[in-house]
Amino acid sequence: YKADCEESHKTLNNTKARAQRLKDATGRRGQLVTQDVEQHQAKLHTAQAAAAAKRATAATELESQQAREEKLKEELLAKDEALRLQKEQRNSEQAELERRKSEMDEEARTLLRQRKALEASTAPES
C-alpha cells in the first residue's frame, strides 16, 4: 500500500511538474505573442501617423498651389484689363489723329482753293 501511495504521489508530482512546465512554456509563448502583437501595433500606429502627416502636408501643399494659381489668375486678369485699356487708348488716339488729319486736309484744300482764286483774280489778263 505504501509503495502504491509513493508511486501515485511520484506520478502526481511528475504530472504537476509537467503541467507547470507546460504552463510556463505557454506563458512564455503567450508573452512572445503579446510582444509581437504590441510591436506590430506600434508599427501600425507609426505608419498611420506618417500617413496622416503626409496627408496633412499634401493638403497644405494643395492649398498653397491653389492660392498661387488664384493669384496668377488675378494677375492675368489685371494684365488683360491693362492691355484692353491700352488698346482702347491707342484706338482713341488713332481716331483723334485721323480726325485732325481730316481737318488739316480740308483746311489745306480750302487754302488751295483760296490761293487759286486769289491767283486767278490777280493774274494779268492777256
Side-chain angles (χ1 to χ4, degrees), residues 51-68:
K54 283 182 181 179
R55 281 193 305 273
T57 300
T60 301
E61 288 175 1
L62 179 61
E63 288 174 3
S64 177
Q65 179 69 24
Q66 288 172 335
R68 284 193 300 271

Side-chain angles (χ1 to χ4, degrees), residues 9-22:
H9 200 61
K10 186 177 175 183
T11 303
L12 178 62
N13 283 339
N14 284 341
T15 304
K16 283 183 180 178
R18 198 169 80 222
Q20 185 63 45
R21 283 194 305 276
L22 284 172

Side-chain angles (χ1 to χ4, degrees), residues 53-110:
K54 283 182 181 179
R55 281 193 305 273
T57 300
T60 301
E61 288 175 1
L62 179 61
E63 288 174 3
S64 177
Q65 179 69 24
Q66 288 172 335
R68 284 193 300 271
E69 288 175 3
E70 190 62 33
K71 182 180 176 187
L72 287 174
K73 196 183 296 181
E74 289 173 5
E75 288 176 3
L76 284 174
L77 288 174
K79 286 180 181 180
D80 283 350
E81 180 63 13
L83 288 173
R84 186 190 67 76
L85 290 174
Q86 284 178 348
K87 184 177 179 182
E88 193 176 283
Q89 178 68 28
R90 279 195 309 271
N91 289 343
S92 175
E93 289 171 355
Q94 184 66 32
E96 178 62 20
L97 289 173
E98 288 175 10
R99 184 190 64 74
R100 286 174 50 199
K101 181 182 180 295
S102 293
E103 287 177 356
M104 292 168 127
D105 287 346
E106 183 59 34
E107 190 175 335
R109 283 191 293 274
T110 301

